[in-house]
Amino acid sequence: MVNRNPRDLEELSLTPIERDFSDRVQGEDLEFWASDEGKYQIIHKENQRNAFSPSKILSKFTATQLVTMSGAASGFLAGVVVCPLDVVKTRFQAHGALAQSTGSLASKKYRGFLGAFKTILREEGLRGLYRGLVPITIGYLPTWTIYFTVYERAKLFYPEFLKSHFNLETHALNHFCSALTAGMTSSIAVNPIWVVKTRLMIQTGSGSTIYNNNAENKSAAQPKVERTYYKGTLDAIRTMYKEEGIRVFYSGLIPSLFGLLHVGIHFPVYEKLKLWLECDLKSASADEQKSTLGRLIAASSVSKMIASTITYPHEILRTRMQIQSSNRNKSDKQKGKLINSIIKIYQKEGLKGFYAGYGVNLIRTVPASAVTLVSFEYFKTYLLEISGKL
Protein backbone atom coordinates (compact mmCIF):
# COMPACT_ATOMS: atom_id res chain seq x y z
CA MET A 1 0.00 0.00 0.00
CA VAL A 2 1.37 3.40 -0.97
CA ASN A 3 0.53 6.31 1.28
CA ARG A 4 0.65 9.44 -0.89
CA ASN A 5 -0.21 13.08 -0.49
CA PRO A 6 -3.19 14.29 -2.64
CA ARG A 7 -0.87 16.72 -4.43
CA ASP A 8 1.31 13.83 -5.56
CA LEU A 9 -1.77 12.03 -6.82
CA GLU A 10 -2.84 15.02 -8.85
CA GLU A 11 0.57 15.08 -10.53
CA LEU A 12 0.01 11.41 -11.45
CA SER A 13 -3.37 12.31 -13.00
CA LEU A 14 -5.22 10.40 -10.31
CA THR A 15 -8.71 11.37 -9.20
CA PRO A 16 -11.07 10.00 -6.52
CA ILE A 17 -13.12 7.21 -8.06
CA GLU A 18 -16.80 8.04 -8.32
CA ARG A 19 -18.03 5.04 -6.39
CA ASP A 20 -17.56 5.41 -2.66
CA PHE A 21 -14.89 2.84 -1.83
CA SER A 22 -13.74 4.81 1.25
CA ASP A 23 -13.69 2.62 4.30
CA ARG A 24 -11.91 1.98 7.56
CA VAL A 25 -9.51 -0.94 7.24
CA GLN A 26 -7.82 -2.12 10.41
CA GLY A 27 -8.46 1.26 12.04
CA GLU A 28 -7.16 3.22 9.05
CA ASP A 29 -9.25 6.00 7.47
CA LEU A 30 -8.58 5.34 3.76
CA GLU A 31 -9.68 6.64 0.36
CA PHE A 32 -9.21 5.03 -3.06
CA TRP A 33 -7.96 7.11 -6.03
CA ALA A 34 -8.00 5.94 -9.67
CA SER A 35 -6.40 7.04 -12.94
CA ASP A 36 -7.80 6.91 -16.47
CA GLU A 37 -5.67 3.81 -17.10
CA GLY A 38 -7.37 1.96 -14.24
CA LYS A 39 -4.46 2.24 -11.80
CA TYR A 40 -5.35 2.64 -8.14
CA GLN A 41 -3.71 4.35 -5.20
CA ILE A 42 -4.79 4.45 -1.59
CA ILE A 43 -4.22 7.46 0.70
CA HIS A 44 -4.92 8.38 4.28
CA LYS A 45 -7.80 10.87 4.54
CA GLU A 46 -5.79 12.60 7.26
CA ASN A 47 -3.16 13.47 4.66
CA GLN A 48 -5.84 14.95 2.42
CA ARG A 49 -7.07 17.16 5.26
CA ASN A 50 -3.54 18.25 6.12
CA ALA A 51 -3.00 19.43 2.55
CA PHE A 52 -5.56 22.16 3.18
CA SER A 53 -4.76 22.92 6.83
CA PRO A 54 -4.17 26.55 7.98
CA SER A 55 -0.52 25.79 8.71
CA LYS A 56 0.04 24.63 5.12
CA ILE A 57 -1.61 27.75 3.72
CA LEU A 58 0.11 30.20 6.07
CA SER A 59 3.52 28.61 5.50
CA LYS A 60 3.41 30.07 1.98
CA PHE A 61 3.51 33.61 3.41
CA THR A 62 6.66 35.36 4.57
CA ALA A 63 7.04 36.54 8.16
CA THR A 64 6.61 40.15 6.98
CA GLN A 65 3.33 39.29 5.24
CA LEU A 66 2.05 37.56 8.38
CA VAL A 67 2.91 40.66 10.43
CA THR A 68 1.00 42.74 7.89
CA MET A 69 -2.03 40.45 8.25
CA SER A 70 -1.79 40.74 12.04
CA GLY A 71 -1.71 44.53 11.82
CA ALA A 72 -4.76 44.56 9.55
CA ALA A 73 -6.73 42.27 11.85
CA SER A 74 -5.90 44.26 14.99
CA GLY A 75 -6.68 47.53 13.20
CA PHE A 76 -10.09 46.32 12.06
CA LEU A 77 -10.94 45.03 15.54
CA ALA A 78 -9.86 48.29 17.17
CA GLY A 79 -11.88 50.38 14.70
CA VAL A 80 -15.12 48.57 15.49
CA VAL A 81 -14.58 48.53 19.27
CA VAL A 82 -13.64 52.20 19.74
CA CYS A 83 -15.92 53.89 17.19
CA PRO A 84 -18.51 55.13 19.78
CA LEU A 85 -15.73 56.51 21.97
CA ASP A 86 -14.13 58.16 18.96
CA VAL A 87 -17.40 59.90 18.09
CA VAL A 88 -17.67 61.37 21.60
CA LYS A 89 -14.01 62.42 21.57
CA THR A 90 -14.35 64.13 18.18
CA ARG A 91 -17.43 66.03 19.33
CA PHE A 92 -15.53 67.29 22.36
CA GLN A 93 -12.49 68.33 20.35
CA ALA A 94 -14.70 70.19 17.87
CA HIS A 95 -16.67 71.68 20.73
CA GLY A 96 -14.39 74.65 21.31
CA ALA A 97 -14.65 75.73 17.69
CA LEU A 98 -18.44 75.38 17.88
CA ALA A 99 -18.66 77.50 21.04
CA GLN A 100 -16.67 80.28 19.36
CA SER A 101 -19.20 80.55 16.53
CA THR A 102 -22.49 79.80 18.28
CA GLY A 103 -22.08 81.18 21.79
CA SER A 104 -22.74 79.76 25.24
CA LEU A 105 -25.81 77.75 24.19
CA ALA A 106 -23.68 75.40 22.16
CA SER A 107 -21.08 75.13 24.89
CA LYS A 108 -23.67 73.55 27.22
CA LYS A 109 -24.74 70.79 24.85
CA TYR A 110 -22.35 68.11 26.09
CA ARG A 111 -21.63 67.79 29.80
CA GLY A 112 -18.92 65.24 30.49
CA PHE A 113 -18.32 61.90 28.84
CA LEU A 114 -21.44 60.14 30.09
CA GLY A 115 -23.55 63.23 29.39
CA ALA A 116 -22.28 63.41 25.82
CA PHE A 117 -22.78 59.68 25.37
CA LYS A 118 -26.38 59.89 26.61
CA THR A 119 -27.13 63.03 24.56
CA ILE A 120 -25.92 61.45 21.33
CA LEU A 121 -27.77 58.22 22.08
CA ARG A 122 -31.00 60.07 22.94
CA GLU A 123 -30.99 62.51 20.00
CA GLU A 124 -29.44 60.33 17.29
CA GLY A 125 -29.90 56.78 18.48
CA LEU A 126 -27.32 53.99 18.38
CA ARG A 127 -26.51 55.00 14.82
CA GLY A 128 -25.20 58.32 16.11
CA LEU A 129 -22.48 56.56 18.08
CA TYR A 130 -21.32 54.81 14.93
CA ARG A 131 -21.12 57.81 12.61
CA GLY A 132 -17.94 57.50 10.60
CA LEU A 133 -17.70 53.75 11.25
CA VAL A 134 -16.87 53.02 7.61
CA PRO A 135 -13.99 55.51 7.34
CA ILE A 136 -12.74 54.73 10.85
CA THR A 137 -12.68 51.01 10.06
CA ILE A 138 -11.15 51.67 6.65
CA GLY A 139 -8.75 54.08 8.37
CA TYR A 140 -7.67 51.84 11.23
CA LEU A 141 -7.13 48.86 8.97
CA PRO A 142 -4.50 50.43 6.65
CA THR A 143 -3.10 52.66 9.43
CA TRP A 144 -2.11 49.75 11.64
CA THR A 145 -1.33 47.49 8.69
CA ILE A 146 1.20 50.02 7.41
CA TYR A 147 2.36 51.00 10.88
CA PHE A 148 3.13 47.55 12.24
CA THR A 149 4.66 46.37 8.96
CA VAL A 150 7.05 49.33 8.81
CA TYR A 151 7.67 49.26 12.58
CA GLU A 152 8.67 45.58 12.68
CA ARG A 153 11.00 45.99 9.71
CA ALA A 154 12.45 49.25 11.06
CA LYS A 155 13.30 47.49 14.34
CA LEU A 156 15.55 45.20 12.31
CA PHE A 157 17.05 48.03 10.26
CA TYR A 158 17.91 50.71 12.82
CA PRO A 159 20.22 48.77 15.18
CA GLU A 160 22.77 48.17 12.42
CA PHE A 161 22.22 51.60 10.87
CA LEU A 162 22.69 53.50 14.14
CA LYS A 163 25.71 51.41 15.09
CA SER A 164 27.51 51.76 11.74
CA HIS A 165 26.79 55.47 11.23
CA PHE A 166 26.66 56.89 14.77
CA ASN A 167 28.18 54.12 16.90
CA LEU A 168 25.00 54.03 19.01
CA GLU A 169 23.55 50.88 20.54
CA THR A 170 20.43 51.62 22.60
CA HIS A 171 17.11 49.80 22.42
CA ALA A 172 15.17 52.95 23.33
CA LEU A 173 16.65 54.91 20.41
CA ASN A 174 16.03 52.00 18.06
CA HIS A 175 12.35 51.84 19.07
CA PHE A 176 12.04 55.64 18.94
CA CYS A 177 13.35 55.84 15.36
CA SER A 178 11.27 52.84 14.30
CA ALA A 179 8.11 54.39 15.76
CA LEU A 180 8.75 57.74 14.04
CA THR A 181 9.38 56.07 10.68
CA ALA A 182 6.26 53.91 10.93
CA GLY A 183 4.15 56.82 12.20
CA MET A 184 5.20 59.17 9.41
CA THR A 185 4.54 56.56 6.74
CA SER A 186 1.07 55.68 8.01
CA SER A 187 0.08 59.31 8.71
CA ILE A 188 0.85 60.50 5.20
CA ALA A 189 -0.83 57.48 3.61
CA VAL A 190 -4.05 57.52 5.64
CA ASN A 191 -4.63 61.23 6.45
CA PRO A 192 -7.40 61.63 3.79
CA ILE A 193 -9.46 58.90 5.46
CA TRP A 194 -9.17 60.57 8.88
CA VAL A 195 -10.32 63.92 7.45
CA VAL A 196 -13.46 62.25 6.05
CA LYS A 197 -14.00 60.44 9.35
CA THR A 198 -13.82 63.68 11.33
CA ARG A 199 -16.28 65.46 9.03
CA LEU A 200 -18.79 62.60 9.35
CA MET A 201 -18.47 62.38 13.11
CA ILE A 202 -19.56 66.00 13.68
CA GLN A 203 -22.83 65.28 11.87
CA THR A 204 -25.88 64.74 14.06
CA GLY A 205 -28.33 63.27 11.53
CA SER A 206 -31.43 64.66 9.76
CA GLY A 207 -29.30 66.78 7.47
CA SER A 208 -27.57 68.72 10.25
CA THR A 209 -24.19 69.01 11.95
CA ILE A 210 -23.21 70.25 15.39
CA TYR A 211 -22.87 73.67 13.74
CA ASN A 212 -26.48 73.98 12.64
CA ASN A 213 -28.56 71.40 14.49
CA ASN A 214 -31.04 73.81 16.05
CA ALA A 215 -32.73 77.10 15.32
CA GLU A 216 -30.34 79.16 17.44
CA ASN A 217 -27.30 77.73 15.74
CA LYS A 218 -28.78 78.18 12.26
CA SER A 219 -28.78 81.92 12.76
CA ALA A 220 -25.04 81.97 13.31
CA ALA A 221 -22.96 83.19 10.39
CA GLN A 222 -20.76 80.34 9.29
CA PRO A 223 -18.90 79.45 6.08
CA LYS A 224 -21.05 77.44 3.68
CA VAL A 225 -18.77 74.42 3.67
CA GLU A 226 -19.10 74.00 7.45
CA ARG A 227 -22.84 73.46 6.92
CA THR A 228 -22.34 70.83 4.24
CA TYR A 229 -24.06 67.58 5.14
CA TYR A 230 -22.64 64.37 3.74
CA LYS A 231 -24.92 61.41 2.97
CA GLY A 232 -22.15 58.90 3.48
CA THR A 233 -18.47 58.19 3.02
CA LEU A 234 -18.42 58.25 -0.79
CA ASP A 235 -20.63 61.36 -0.89
CA ALA A 236 -18.27 63.06 1.57
CA ILE A 237 -15.25 62.28 -0.60
CA ARG A 238 -16.95 63.55 -3.78
CA THR A 239 -18.40 66.69 -2.16
CA MET A 240 -15.22 67.63 -0.32
CA TYR A 241 -13.17 67.26 -3.49
CA LYS A 242 -15.69 69.29 -5.51
CA GLU A 243 -16.03 72.12 -2.99
CA GLU A 244 -12.54 72.28 -1.51
CA GLY A 245 -10.14 70.50 -3.82
CA ILE A 246 -7.56 67.79 -3.22
CA ARG A 247 -5.78 69.78 -0.51
CA VAL A 248 -8.67 69.33 1.91
CA PHE A 249 -7.76 65.66 2.33
CA TYR A 250 -4.45 66.67 3.86
CA SER A 251 -5.91 69.12 6.36
CA GLY A 252 -4.34 68.59 9.75
CA LEU A 253 -1.39 66.66 8.33
CA ILE A 254 1.17 69.02 9.87
CA PRO A 255 -0.22 68.61 13.41
CA SER A 256 -0.35 64.86 12.72
CA LEU A 257 3.35 64.88 11.85
CA PHE A 258 4.06 66.92 14.98
CA GLY A 259 2.12 64.22 16.77
CA LEU A 260 4.73 61.66 15.74
CA LEU A 261 6.31 62.54 19.04
CA HIS A 262 3.36 60.63 20.50
CA VAL A 263 4.36 57.29 18.96
CA GLY A 264 8.00 58.22 19.60
CA ILE A 265 7.13 58.16 23.30
CA HIS A 266 4.40 55.49 23.30
CA PHE A 267 6.21 52.58 21.65
CA PRO A 268 9.62 52.87 23.37
CA VAL A 269 7.82 53.04 26.73
CA TYR A 270 5.62 50.11 25.69
CA GLU A 271 8.61 48.01 24.65
CA LYS A 272 10.40 48.82 27.92
CA LEU A 273 7.33 47.94 30.00
CA LYS A 274 6.99 44.64 28.11
CA LEU A 275 10.54 43.75 29.18
CA TRP A 276 10.00 44.83 32.78
CA LEU A 277 6.69 42.97 33.06
CA GLU A 278 7.98 39.93 31.14
CA CYS A 279 5.24 39.95 28.50
CA ASP A 280 6.76 37.39 26.13
CA LEU A 281 4.00 35.34 24.49
CA LYS A 282 6.50 33.21 22.57
CA SER A 283 7.88 31.48 25.65
CA ALA A 284 4.67 31.56 27.74
CA SER A 285 2.81 28.32 28.37
CA ALA A 286 -0.98 28.05 28.09
CA ASP A 287 -1.40 28.70 31.82
CA GLU A 288 1.05 31.59 31.82
CA GLN A 289 -0.67 33.35 28.91
CA LYS A 290 -3.59 34.42 31.12
CA SER A 291 -1.33 36.44 33.40
CA THR A 292 0.68 37.58 30.37
CA LEU A 293 -2.52 39.04 28.91
CA GLY A 294 -3.03 41.18 32.00
CA ARG A 295 0.55 42.43 31.90
CA LEU A 296 0.27 43.26 28.19
CA ILE A 297 -2.89 45.29 28.86
CA ALA A 298 -1.09 47.13 31.67
CA ALA A 299 1.95 47.86 29.47
CA SER A 300 -0.14 49.18 26.58
CA SER A 301 -2.41 51.25 28.84
CA VAL A 302 0.29 52.92 30.93
CA SER A 303 2.47 53.72 27.91
CA LYS A 304 -0.55 55.21 26.10
CA MET A 305 -1.48 57.41 29.07
CA ILE A 306 2.06 58.78 29.33
CA ALA A 307 2.30 59.54 25.61
CA SER A 308 -1.21 61.07 25.44
CA THR A 309 -0.62 63.38 28.39
CA ILE A 310 2.52 64.83 26.82
CA THR A 311 1.32 65.17 23.22
CA TYR A 312 -2.46 65.72 23.44
CA PRO A 313 -2.50 69.37 22.18
CA HIS A 314 -1.57 68.22 18.67
CA GLU A 315 -4.86 66.29 18.47
CA ILE A 316 -6.84 69.44 19.25
CA LEU A 317 -5.04 71.31 16.46
CA ARG A 318 -5.51 68.46 14.01
CA THR A 319 -9.25 68.17 14.67
CA ARG A 320 -9.82 71.94 14.45
CA MET A 321 -7.97 72.11 11.13
CA GLN A 322 -9.81 69.11 9.68
CA ILE A 323 -13.24 70.69 10.32
CA GLN A 324 -12.23 74.06 8.87
CA SER A 325 -13.10 75.05 5.33
CA SER A 326 -10.40 74.93 2.70
CA ASN A 327 -12.11 77.33 0.29
CA ARG A 328 -9.88 77.69 -2.75
CA ASN A 329 -11.01 81.30 -3.29
CA LYS A 330 -9.44 82.19 0.04
CA SER A 331 -6.25 80.24 -0.28
CA ASP A 332 -4.21 83.20 0.91
CA LYS A 333 -5.96 82.98 4.27
CA GLN A 334 -4.96 79.35 4.58
CA LYS A 335 -1.33 80.32 4.96
CA GLY A 336 -0.38 80.17 8.55
CA LYS A 337 -3.56 78.25 9.42
CA LEU A 338 -1.71 76.24 12.04
CA ILE A 339 -0.34 79.35 13.78
CA ASN A 340 -3.74 81.06 13.60
CA SER A 341 -5.40 78.01 15.15
CA ILE A 342 -2.92 78.03 18.04
CA ILE A 343 -3.46 81.75 18.66
CA LYS A 344 -7.28 81.51 18.50
CA ILE A 345 -7.44 78.57 20.89
CA TYR A 346 -5.15 80.31 23.38
CA GLN A 347 -6.98 83.66 23.17
CA LYS A 348 -10.51 82.26 23.51
CA GLU A 349 -9.95 79.18 25.66
CA GLY A 350 -6.56 79.59 27.30
CA LEU A 351 -4.19 76.70 27.94
CA LYS A 352 -7.20 74.65 28.99
CA GLY A 353 -8.39 74.71 25.37
CA PHE A 354 -5.44 72.58 24.29
CA TYR A 355 -6.70 69.82 26.58
CA ALA A 356 -10.39 69.96 25.67
CA GLY A 357 -11.81 66.46 25.86
CA TYR A 358 -8.61 65.10 27.39
CA GLY A 359 -10.46 62.87 29.86
CA VAL A 360 -12.72 61.56 27.10
CA ASN A 361 -9.65 60.99 24.97
CA LEU A 362 -8.07 58.80 27.65
CA ILE A 363 -11.29 56.83 28.01
CA ARG A 364 -11.14 56.19 24.27
CA THR A 365 -7.43 55.79 23.57
CA VAL A 366 -6.43 53.62 26.51
CA PRO A 367 -8.83 50.75 25.64
CA ALA A 368 -8.13 51.34 21.94
CA SER A 369 -4.41 50.96 22.60
CA ALA A 370 -5.00 47.83 24.65
CA VAL A 371 -7.22 46.26 21.97
CA THR A 372 -4.82 47.15 19.14
CA LEU A 373 -1.49 46.22 20.72
CA VAL A 374 -2.65 43.15 22.63
CA SER A 375 -4.59 41.72 19.68
CA PHE A 376 -1.59 42.42 17.42
CA GLU A 377 0.75 40.54 19.76
CA TYR A 378 -1.62 37.56 19.85
CA PHE A 379 -2.38 37.58 16.12
CA LYS A 380 1.31 37.85 15.26
CA THR A 381 2.38 35.10 17.69
CA TYR A 382 -0.42 32.77 16.55
CA LEU A 383 0.18 33.24 12.81
CA LEU A 384 3.94 32.92 13.07
CA GLU A 385 3.59 29.87 15.30
CA ILE A 386 1.20 27.84 13.15
CA SER A 387 3.12 28.78 9.99
CA GLY A 388 6.32 27.46 11.53
CA LYS A 389 8.14 30.81 11.36
CA LEU A 390 8.26 31.59 15.08
Side-chain angles (χ1 to χ4, degrees):
M1 183 188 300
V2 180
N3 183 11
R4 292 182 179 272
N5 188 288
R7 289 182 184 171
D8 300 329
L9 297 174
E10 289 174 4
E11 292 175 1
L12 294 172
S13 300
L14 295 173
T15 58
I17 59 177
E18 294 183 4
R19 186 178 175 185
D20 185 13
F21 285 107
S22 300
D23 200 354
R24 301 191 68 85
V25 180
Q26 294 182 347
E28 298 287 343
D29 195 5
L30 306 175
E31 185 172 83
F32 290 80
W33 285 56
S35 69
D36 294 336
E37 292 79 15
K39 297 179 181 179
Y40 293 90
Q41 293 282 1
I42 303 174
I43 66 167
H44 282 278
K45 284 188 176 181
E46 184 63 31
N47 287 345
Q48 189 173 12
R49 286 192 291 270
N50 289 341
F52 302 99
S53 66
S55 59
K56 291 282 186 180
I57 297 173
L58 291 173
S59 64
K60 298 178 181 179
F61 295 93
T62 64
T64 300
Q65 290 172 329
L66 293 174
V67 169
T68 299
M69 292 166 60
S70 302
S74 62
F76 177 81
L77 181 62
V80 174
V81 170
V82 306
C83 186
L85 300 176
D86 209 15
V87 170
V88 177
K89 182 214 72 168
T90 301
R91 297 283 180 89
F92 264 86
Q93 290 184 337
H95 204 244
L98 172 61
Q100 292 175 21
S101 60
T102 61
S104 60
L105 179 66
S107 65
K108 296 179 181 178
K109 184 173 180 60
Y110 302 121
R111 296 176 182 273
F113 173 76
L114 289 178
F117 191 90
K118 291 177 181 177
T119 299
I120 296 172
L121 192 61
R122 183 180 66 251
E123 295 183 354
E124 307 168 46
L126 185 62
R127 185 177 180 181
L129 293 172
Y130 281 90
R131 294 193 186 281
L133 176 62
V134 173
I136 196 176
T137 303
I138 295 173
Y140 267 98
L141 203 155
T143 294
W144 289 115
T145 299
I146 295 169
Y147 186 91
F148 282 124
T149 301
V150 176
Y151 181 68
E152 293 292 320
R153 299 197 67 162
K155 284 199 299 183
L156 300 175
F157 166 78
Y158 276 112
E160 183 178 346
F161 176 81
L162 293 173
K163 182 178 180 180
S164 60
H165 288 77
F166 304 100
N167 197 29
L168 295 172
E169 292 184 80
T170 59
H171 290 296
L173 183 59
N174 174 33
H175 293 142
F176 178 80
C177 294
S178 300
L180 289 184
T181 303
M184 182 178 295
T185 304
S186 62
S187 292
I188 293 174
V190 190
N191 195 79
I193 298 174
W194 294 129
V195 175
V196 175
K197 179 216 71 166
T198 302
R199 295 286 184 94
L200 290 174
M201 282 187 171
I202 63 172
Q203 296 186 166
T204 59
S206 303
S208 63
T209 69
I210 63 172
Y211 290 92
N212 57 1
N213 62 342
N214 57 47
E216 290 84 355
N217 290 346
K218 287 180 180 179
S219 63
Q222 299 174 355
K224 180 181 178 181
V225 73
E226 289 187 345
R227 292 177 179 269
T228 300
Y229 186 85
Y230 308 111
K231 298 177 182 178
T233 303
L234 293 178
D235 179 61
I237 295 172
R238 286 193 296 263
T239 305
M240 288 166 64
Y241 177 75
K242 181 180 179 180
E243 294 184 348
E244 305 173 66
I246 192 68
R247 291 178 60 184
V248 68
F249 296 106
Y250 285 91
S251 300
L253 178 59
I254 295 177
S256 293
L257 294 179
F258 286 157
L260 291 178
L261 180 61
H262 177 95
V263 293
I265 297 171
H266 182 198
F267 277 79
V269 174
Y270 172 65
E271 297 283 1
K272 180 63 69 175
L273 287 175
K274 279 204 305 180
L275 289 175
W276 286 349
L277 298 175
E278 299 180 350
C279 303
D280 188 4
L281 288 173
K282 299 176 185 177
S283 59
S285 63
D287 294 333
E288 292 173 337
Q289 284 195 1
K290 292 182 179 179
S291 59
T292 303
L293 172 62
R295 294 195 296 272
L296 270 175
I297 292 174
S300 63
S301 300
V302 172
S303 59
K304 187 66 175 182
M305 290 175 68
I306 293 172
S308 294
T309 302
I310 296 173
T311 64
Y312 184 74
H314 94 275
E315 292 201 29
I316 295 292
L317 292 170
R318 181 181 61 195
T319 298
R320 299 289 177 88
M321 292 179 70
Q322 286 177 347
I323 62 177
Q324 288 177 18
S325 167
S326 296
N327 194 318
R328 287 171 290 183
N329 296 326
K330 298 180 180 179
S331 59
D332 56 321
K333 293 184 179 181
Q334 299 306 310
K335 297 177 181 179
K337 182 189 289 187
L338 175 61
I339 296 175
N340 289 336
S341 295
I342 295 173
I343 294 173
K344 285 182 179 180
I345 293 173
Y346 180 75
Q347 288 178 340
K348 294 184 178 292
E349 304 169 58
L351 291 175
K352 186 178 179 181
F354 292 101
Y355 280 86
Y358 170 71
V360 175
N361 182 68
L362 284 184
I363 294 173
R364 180 195 73 91
T365 57
V366 171
S369 174
V371 170
T372 304
L373 295 180
V374 173
S375 63
F376 172 73
E377 297 286 357
Y378 274 88
F379 282 136
K380 181 180 72 171
T381 302
Y382 175 74
L383 293 178
L384 290 175
E385 188 176 72
I386 65 174
S387 66
K389 293 182 171 61
L390 189 62

